[in-house]
């Protein structure tokens, strides 16, 4: 199997897991959102630690300990992903899967917004149009919900912020997830201990299957991230960007078709506007990428300057006889110098 096909396999696998993740989270009831979050953090640490030990990559921790700014960035990334995970778990377990899907549809537009205001990036007209349509979609959905879709906006902004911090840190997927989860492990363990002391913990008290599902939350968190990293290393960025819409489409399908959440006409119109914004944004990105590649192919090659070694071969040293002159010329000059001396 070639690398491109393997990249597609990894990418589709990652987004399929994320797309059907609401079904998995529903199976973790009657555990509450914070308890599920705490278990997800702890078992992620355990699962990724086993991976690092098996691949013998644990030495990166010593190098990371000598980078205090990177550690501070990891702390910020950990806080953002905890907010994102916690909000998502709350949304699924409070029967708002459709709104969580909206958050991940909006996320690419929020990432563009961060690029403008935080990285001082300049947008093309089509990108500004996509942002305008996205903002109008949020206004329509606000009218439908009777409030701001704060759950969707929290998911979109927290994950966009997490992506921005991760881009600056440039850590490998496995190592980054381990350190982020390790930062959150102590408060997660403290919460679970407090919950158990109160007698409110569900771990080990519901069924063997429920306990096993809580333990497997670590693998369910780490595996799609590793698959995504494998896809990102093998596929063009534009392809990865197109694949990312697979997860919220599946989440929306879970909410409407499996969990029977309502989708009134105004809400559907708001989603349609979000999809329109994403279509404009994606089409512009693909067009710009195609133009950039075409310009690179048609640009004439820069002539290579002569090397110093070539010049040394063609230019004789000062005072030396030129080996390219004929022997009769060199003999005539030698006889002329002899006559002048006599």
């Amino acid at each position: 199997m070639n690398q491109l096909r393997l990249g597609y396999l990894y990418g589709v696998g990652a987004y399929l897991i994320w797309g059907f993740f609401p079904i998995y989270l529903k199976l973790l009831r009657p555990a509450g959102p914070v308890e599920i979050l705490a278990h997800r953090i702890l078992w992620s640490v355990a699962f990724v630690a086993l991976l690092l030990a098996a691949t013998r990559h644990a030495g990166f921790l010593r190098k990371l300990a000598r980078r205090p700014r990177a550690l501070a960035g990891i702390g910020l990334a950990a806080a953002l992903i905890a907010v994102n995970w916690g909000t998502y778990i709350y949304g699924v377990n409070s029967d708002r899967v459709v709104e969580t899907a909206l958050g991940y549809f909006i996320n690419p537009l929020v990432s563009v917004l961060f690029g403008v205001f935080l990285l001082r990036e300049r947008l093309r007209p089509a990108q500004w149009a996509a942002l305008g349509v996205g903002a109008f979609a949020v206004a329509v959905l606000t009218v439908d919900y009777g409030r701001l879709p704060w759950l969707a906006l929290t998911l979109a902004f927290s994950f966009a912020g997490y992506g921005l911090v991760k881009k600056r840190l440039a850590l490998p997927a496995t190592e980054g997830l381990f350190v982020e989860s390790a930062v959150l492990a102590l408060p997660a363990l403290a919460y679970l201990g407090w919950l158990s002391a109160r007698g409110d913990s569900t771990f080990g008290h519901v069924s063997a299957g429920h306990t096993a599902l809580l333990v497997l939350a670590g693998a369910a968190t780490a595996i799609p991230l590793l698959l995504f990293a494998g896809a990102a290393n093998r596929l063009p960025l534009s392809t990865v960007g197109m694949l990312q819409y697979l997860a919220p489409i599946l989440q929306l399908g879970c909410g409407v078709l499996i969990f029977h959440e309502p989708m009134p006409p105004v809400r559907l119109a708001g989603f349609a506007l979000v999809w329109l914004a994403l279509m404009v944004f994606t089409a512009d990105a693909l067009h710009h990428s195609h133009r950039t590649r075409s310009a690179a192919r048609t640009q004439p090659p820069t002539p290579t300057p002569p090397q110093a070694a070539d010049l040394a071969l063609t230019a004789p040293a000062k005072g030396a006889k030129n080996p390219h002159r004929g022997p009769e010329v060199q003999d005539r000059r030698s006889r002329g110098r002899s006559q002048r001396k006599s």
Side-chain angles (χ1 to χ4, degrees), residues 188-201:
L189 188 61
Y191 176 79
L192 290 176
W194 174 77
L195 203 64
S196 181
R198 291 183 54 188
D200 294 331
S201 174

Side-chain angles (χ1 to χ4, degrees), residues 60-216:
F60 83 100
L61 288 172
R62 291 191 295 271
K63 298 178 183 178
L64 194 60
R66 296 191 291 268
R67 298 170 56 192
R69 293 187 64 182
L71 291 174
I74 289 171
L76 177 58
L80 288 169
I81 200 62
V83 170
N84 183 268
W85 287 354
T87 304
Y88 184 72
I89 295 167
Y90 170 78
V92 171
N93 282 349
S94 60
D95 300 321
R96 294 161 70 180
V97 176
V98 169
E99 193 173 346
T100 65
L102 174 64
Y104 289 110
F105 277 124
I106 295 174
N107 174 66
L109 301 176
V110 175
S111 295
V112 173
L113 203 63
F114 279 6
V116 173
F117 290 103
L118 300 180
L119 302 180
R120 304 298 180 187
E121 294 177 356
R122 303 182 70 177
L123 297 186
R124 296 181 293 275
Q127 292 174 311
W128 279 115
L131 285 177
V133 174
F136 183 59
V138 172
V140 170
L141 290 165
T142 299
V143 172
D144 173 66
Y145 282 113
R147 55 171 173 77
L148 271 176
W150 65 266
L151 193 145
L153 293 174
T154 302
L155 287 172
F157 276 87
S158 61
F159 199 71
Y162 175 73
L164 178 64
V165 175
K166 292 282 284 184
K167 182 179 176 66
R168 294 292 185 91
L169 291 173
L171 290 176
T174 310
E175 288 85 342
L177 177 62
F178 174 77
V179 179
E180 291 157 18
S181 301
V183 169
L184 300 169
L186 189 58
L189 188 61
Y191 176 79
L192 290 176
W194 174 77
L195 203 64
S196 181
R198 291 183 54 188
D200 294 331
S201 174
T202 63
F203 186 74
H205 299 289
V206 177
S207 67
H210 181 265
T211 301
L213 286 173
L214 284 174
V215 172
L216 289 173

Side-chain angles (χ1 to χ4, degrees), residues 17-18 21 24-25 28 35-51 85 89 174 177-178 181 203 210-226:
I17 294 173
W18 282 328
F21 207 66
Y24 179 83
L25 290 177
L28 298 180
E35 183 181 5
I36 295 172
L37 175 62
H39 279 288
R40 189 176 182 180
I41 291 167
L42 285 180
W43 297 115
S44 295
V45 173
F47 181 81
V48 179
L50 289 175
L51 284 180
W85 287 354
I89 295 167
T174 310
L177 177 62
F178 174 77
S181 301
F203 186 74
H210 181 265
T211 301
L213 286 173
L214 284 174
V215 172
L216 289 173
T221 298
I223 288 173
L225 285 173
L226 298 177

